[in-house]
Amino acid sequence: MMTAEDENEQREHASTVSLSDENDGRLTVSISDAVSELETVKFTIQTKTALPSFSQHQMSVIRCHEEFIWLHDMLSENPEYAGYIIPPAPPKPDFEEARDKLTRVTAAENTMTEEEYKKLRKELESDYLALFKKTVAMHEIYLLRIAAHSKLREDSNFRVFLEYAKDLKVRSKNKKEIIGGFFKSMTKNVDEALLSGQKDKDEFFIERRTFLEDYHNRIKETTKKSESLSALLMDLVLIICRLLAVWLCSQLGTPLCSASWLRAPSRSSRCRNSRKEPAPTRI
């Protein structure tokens, strides 16, 4: 349980929170008080509004964490808010570890000096209070984000959450509901992934693409044939040059081995090897 001093300090913290800087000031929500019980935390929510959708201008209700989760589920599962960013639900209050430490320290009071006991207990109480304040602040921020949203603050479930004075009598989801919701979300994600890859056929585009691919392949094949024909013509020219050289050498009486132009065909062979193409059959 929180002490009276801690509750007063929490009220002072919550009273400074307002939505005047985040929206038009027509809806102001704050957590004015919070009480930690054995199993849960009770939040006192104060609301001031000028919106016509609310039946009252000032309201005060007490809510627990499970009711915050109920509100988050209602907003997340509403198909009208598809595409909107729903604020994440506040985390569940968990003070078991802090309580266990405080219990162990109390049980070991006789094994330490009075000064050590007071110092250690004060540190644990400070940690517990800081954790409690953080929990209250995160629940308050969740409400502030919804109230600041022009669409979500008009939700009927949000109005019930702020207006209905009695307990909402909600329960947490059982394992079957959790598993069912998981498979439902998985099916939705798979369907979205399949639909995102689906494209309508464009007959004109497909026809033009087929023509261009065929045109490209024909140009590529023609280029290879022209290169092969050019190589054959080059070899034919080299053969003619060699025959001409032999004839000139025979006319001038020059030895064949001394004619430098007779080595020209070897250069052609090196060119073909650099292109990594098989040498064509010589005529």
Side-chain angles (χ1 to χ4, degrees), residues 55-70:
S55 60
Q56 304 177 43
H57 297 298
Q58 294 186 5
M59 296 156 285
S60 178
V61 295
I62 298 177
R63 295 285 178 255
C64 61
H65 174 75
E66 287 72 17
E67 292 168 325
F68 280 82
I69 299 301
W70 169 83

Side-chain angles (χ1 to χ4, degrees), residues 100-110 112 117 120-121 124:
D100 291 342
K101 289 182 179 179
L102 190 59
T103 302
R104 289 196 298 268
V105 170
T106 303
E109 180 180 0
N110 298 328
M112 62 183 70
Y117 172 74
L120 185 57
R121 184 177 178 84
L124 292 177

Side-chain angles (χ1 to χ4, degrees), residues 22 52 72 97 140 176 185 243 269 281:
E22 298 183 23
H72 179 266
E97 184 177 356
E140 187 175 52
K176 183 178 180 180
S185 62
L243 293 176
S269 300
T281 304

Side-chain angles (χ1 to χ4, degrees), residues 75-134:
L75 294 176
S76 301
E77 296 173 1
N78 193 333
E80 294 182 2
Y81 304 139
Y84 289 96
I85 299 177
I86 306 299
K92 182 179 180 180
D94 186 9
F95 307 117
E96 292 297 328
E97 184 177 356
R99 288 169 179 165
D100 291 342
K101 289 182 179 179
L102 190 59
T103 302
R104 289 196 298 268
V105 170
T106 303
E109 180 180 0
N110 298 328
T111 62
M112 62 183 70
T113 63
E114 183 179 357
E115 183 179 353
E116 291 176 344
Y117 172 74
K118 289 182 178 180
K119 181 180 179 181
L120 185 57
R121 184 177 178 84
K122 184 177 180 180
E123 291 177 355
L124 292 177
E125 289 178 348
S126 299
D127 294 341
Y128 179 82
L129 180 60
L131 181 60
F132 184 83
K133 288 182 177 180
K134 180 180 179 181

